[in-house]
Amino acid sequence: MRPQPIARPLTEAALFMVATVPPDLSDDIRSLLGDAEGLTKAVGFRYPHAQLSCVVGIGSALWDHLSPMLKPKQLHPFIQLHGVVRDAIATPGDLFFHIRAEELGICFELARLLQARLPPGSVIVDEVQGFRYLDQRDLLGFVDGTENPDAGEVLGVAIIGDEDSDFAGGSYATVQKYLHDLTAWNALTTEEQEQAVGRRKLDNVELDEASKPSNAHVALNNIHDDGGEELAIYRLNMPFGSLREGTNGTYFIGYAKDVSVTERMLRNMFLGDPPGNYDRLLDFSTPTTGTLFFCPSLELLQRLAGLSI
């Protein structure tokens, strides 16, 4: 099964769009699912340099309407966490579109066409326009995504194989929108910021174990299985912001073939490991959305467009 274009590297721009849709208009939704790849090609063919791509995700409740007889093993509503200083909140979302290109205008053109195909009564509950910032840094000033698997390892981390053969080629996408308090963050010294992240700010080198606090972001997201093997996800985070509104943030998106890995990272961050030892970054970053989607293979998207599975 051919995966959707998840494994592609970061681009200069991205547009993330989450919508709720009326489940009783499933024929219109199926039509959109079947045409999403064609719409992407129609726009991208005119601008081959832009490397336009689109990944479509389906939420748990909508999946139950489209395919009530067969469901991905790990697809469920986003698990809300009541944390020490922040909650990982769950927010509505039936359809998710992750649009990437080297130019934001081309992302917007595809998003406009997809919006026009949403059935009546649909609501775009979140739209974020992301951009590459400097040398792949977030707005906290640190390089983001260093722990991503190498290009040759992405498929093994993000794409389902024999472990759920009915849904091979698919992936789980966990998305959250974080807002940063840059006033409080910039009041810290560079050394204090490095202790919170777990990396040096200038050269991106990870702090050694002796000087890295147990509540550093890197420490709590570096997890292993019972055999000591590191567990990974594929992050395609993007910064976003508005000078007029005074908002600065990171749109987190983690693709995984095993969503329990992402969920364990979130538990470490919000609840702490050990309990109470929460991620220091949460003193400065607040999640305002939380959703989980399944991104089917291209063949399964077409099957969903034609009939239930």
Side-chain angles (χ1 to χ4, degrees):
M1 293 292 184
R2 294 177 300 141
Q4 295 190 63
I6 291 166
R8 293 188 180 185
L10 282 169
T11 50
E12 291 292 327
L15 193 151
F16 307 94
M17 189 163 65
V18 177
T20 57
V21 296
D24 57 333
L25 296 177
S26 55
D27 285 346
D28 291 340
I29 297 165
R30 292 182 192 282
S31 177
L32 170 58
L33 295 177
D35 290 347
E37 184 181 13
L39 289 173
T40 304
K41 289 180 178 179
V43 176
F45 183 78
R46 293 179 285 157
Y47 309 99
H49 65 281
Q51 302 180 54
L52 177 67
S53 66
C54 177
V55 175
V56 180
I58 302 170
S60 178
L62 178 59
W63 188 281
D64 290 340
H65 286 278
L66 295 176
S67 178
M69 301 303 294
L70 191 60
K71 187 173 185 176
K73 291 179 180 178
Q74 295 184 312
L75 180 57
H76 52 253
F78 181 88
I79 299 174
Q80 184 161 301
L81 299 172
H82 297 290
V84 181
V85 295
R86 299 277 187 258
D87 290 342
I89 64 171
T91 50
D94 294 317
L95 285 176
F96 172 62
F97 301 97
H98 179 194
I99 304 170
R100 286 182 278 168
E102 294 300 323
E103 297 178 17
L104 181 58
I106 296 172
C107 295
F108 188 86
E109 170 67 1
L110 177 56
R112 185 185 66 82
L113 294 174
L114 291 168
Q115 179 193 24
R117 294 294 305 276
L118 290 171
S122 299
V123 177
I124 296 176
V125 293
D126 195 32
E127 177 200 347
V128 173
Q129 298 177 11
F131 52 84
R132 188 195 298 268
Y133 184 59
L134 303 177
D135 52 337
Q136 297 196 159
R137 294 180 184 263
D138 57 27
L139 295 182
L140 299 175
F142 285 76
V143 175
D144 194 10
T146 304
E147 292 298 319
N148 262 343
D150 294 334
E153 301 172 333
V154 172
L155 294 180
V157 166
I159 306 302
I160 295 169
D162 294 339
E163 57 269 74
D164 193 359
S165 58
D166 288 328
F167 298 97
S171 183
Y172 296 96
T174 303
V175 298
Q176 293 175 292
K177 181 168 67 177
Y178 285 84
L179 294 181
H180 305 318
D181 182 350
L182 290 189
T183 300
W185 176 253
N186 290 329
L188 301 179
T189 65
T190 297
E191 183 179 3
E192 289 171 329
Q193 292 180 355
E194 291 174 341
Q195 292 282 302
V197 173
R199 290 185 177 277
R200 296 205 299 253
K201 191 171 186 178
L202 180 61
D203 60 16
N204 191 40
V205 174
E206 186 172 343
L207 301 182
D208 60 53
E209 293 303 316
S211 57
K212 186 195 311 172
S214 62
N215 67 346
H217 180 71
V218 169
L220 289 170
N221 279 273
N222 188 0
I223 63 174
H224 300 80
D225 63 17
D226 294 338
E229 183 176 350
E230 185 173 357
L231 301 174
I233 63 174
Y234 186 46
R235 299 172 179 85
L236 288 169
N237 304 348
M238 292 291 274
F240 68 91
S242 167
L243 297 175
R244 181 181 66 82
E245 297 177 2
T247 56
N248 301 275
T250 297
Y251 199 94
F252 164 76
I253 173 167
Y255 287 106
K257 68 178 182 181
D258 181 356
V259 75
S260 69
V261 175
T262 315
E263 291 170 344
R264 180 175 163 189
M265 291 177 177
L266 292 177
R267 288 196 302 273
N268 285 358
M269 289 174 59
F270 286 85
L271 305 181
D273 181 28
N277 185 53
Y278 68 90
D279 191 328
R280 173 72 166 129
L281 282 186
L282 293 179
D283 287 330
F284 310 95
S285 297
T286 304
T288 60
T289 68
T291 41
L292 172 65
F293 301 94
F294 181 70
C295 307
S297 67
L298 291 169
E299 289 86 354
L300 183 50
L301 268 181
Q302 294 302 315
R303 288 173 58 195
L304 287 168
L307 65 154
S308 297
I309 58 175

